[in-house]
Amino acid sequence: LSMKWLVMDATAMTFGADCFDVAVDKGTLDAMMSADSGSAAAMAMTAEVWRVLRPGGVFIIISHNGRRMPLLRAALDLDEEEGGSEAFRGRRPAWYCAELRRCRLSPQATLINILRSKLQGRSLAEAFRDPEMLREATIEAKAALKRMTFLDAFRLFKARKRAQSGKAEPEREADEEPQELPGEETLPGSGRDPRLQPFCWVYALKK
């Protein structure tokens, strides 16, 4: 497919309202949240995405945080002074969270994240000059990926059992806390440095 690349402010896009079926964010929300005024910018961007999506359109977000829904929903309550969109003022907009799931990182991404956690802000090049650090990080990455493989298998098992029983997938409230699976509490990054997390979160939000 031919693609057209445009540069613009994600919090004040020049597109008209209701003109896209799908919007995808990979890391922009997380990057905004790491800045001093992160939540304001992230909410303004979310409001703009709502504005440019057609009714029934889907917003796909890839994030390292599985608890973004309160912020994403609050973004639709902004008034004009706070950066809200005129396009939906006067209505009661809300995202429908069609899906929120963990997605395993690649082995390379997992290893790099573990190295960055060990380096604590120092250059990644230093890790490749330290054989012991590389050895430790490789062991940790393999262990994390092994546990993620188990969790993926457990999720598939639950889905198959549900399909065999004829039960529908329970509907998720948009701001519901993500469910933890058995063994997940032992994953790297659980309650610690998020860079050790061997998975990301994928949101599928429907307008």
Side-chain angles (χ1 to χ4, degrees):
L1 294 175
S2 59
M3 298 184 71
K4 187 176 182 180
W5 298 89
L6 302 173
V7 178
M8 67 179 67
D9 182 353
T11 67
M13 292 184 271
T14 58
F15 302 120
D18 305 335
C19 59
F20 293 106
D21 294 311
V22 179
V24 180
D25 165 41
K26 185 180 183 298
T28 305
L29 188 74
D30 286 357
M32 287 179 166
M33 290 299 293
S34 67
D36 292 338
S37 59
S39 60
M43 291 169 75
M45 181 191 75
T46 302
E48 274 292 88
V49 171
W50 174 280
R51 182 183 68 80
V52 302
L53 279 177
R54 294 187 180 100
V58 177
F59 184 20
I60 297 171
I61 303 172
I62 300 166
S63 172
H64 279 286
N65 192 320
R67 293 175 171 82
R68 295 289 194 209
M69 280 312 306
L71 178 138
L72 294 167
R73 297 183 79 185
L76 304 186
D77 295 328
L78 295 177
D79 59 28
E80 189 171 6
E81 288 74 25
E82 296 173 307
S85 172
E86 184 67 39
F88 57 70
R89 196 161 303 114
R91 291 187 262 161
R92 301 177 71 86
W95 293 114
Y96 168 66
C97 187
E99 190 162 6
L100 172 58
R101 68 161 58 193
R102 299 162 184 83
C103 183
R104 195 179 354 170
L105 297 181
S106 69
Q108 296 88 341
T110 301
L111 176 62
I112 288 172
N113 285 346
I114 290 172
L115 287 173
R116 283 178 172 157
S117 177
K118 291 178 178 296
L119 288 164
Q120 293 295 311
R122 289 177 287 144
S123 169
L124 191 61
E126 290 190 31
F128 295 97
R129 294 193 291 267
D130 187 335
E132 183 59 23
M133 181 185 291
L134 279 174
R135 188 187 70 81
E136 290 177 0
T138 300
I139 292 172
E140 290 179 31
K142 286 180 178 178
L145 292 167
K146 185 175 181 179
R147 286 193 288 274
M148 281 302 298
T149 299
F150 164 76
L151 291 174
D152 286 344
F154 185 77
R155 272 190 289 272
L156 284 172
F157 171 76
K158 285 182 65 178
R160 285 181 187 138
K161 291 288 285 185
R162 190 177 294 114
Q164 289 170 0
S165 67
K167 293 180 181 178
E169 179 76 26
E171 202 166 275
R172 167 182 290 279
E173 287 295 328
D175 55 358
E176 184 181 331
E177 287 286 305
Q179 293 183 344
E180 199 171 74
L181 297 177
E184 192 166 48
E185 68 281 355
T186 64
L187 283 170
S190 301
R192 297 188 292 144
D193 188 338
R195 286 172 296 191
L196 293 173
Q197 184 174 284
F199 58 88
C200 60
W201 291 91
V202 179
Y203 296 74
L205 311 180
K206 191 172 182 180
K207 177 176 176 178

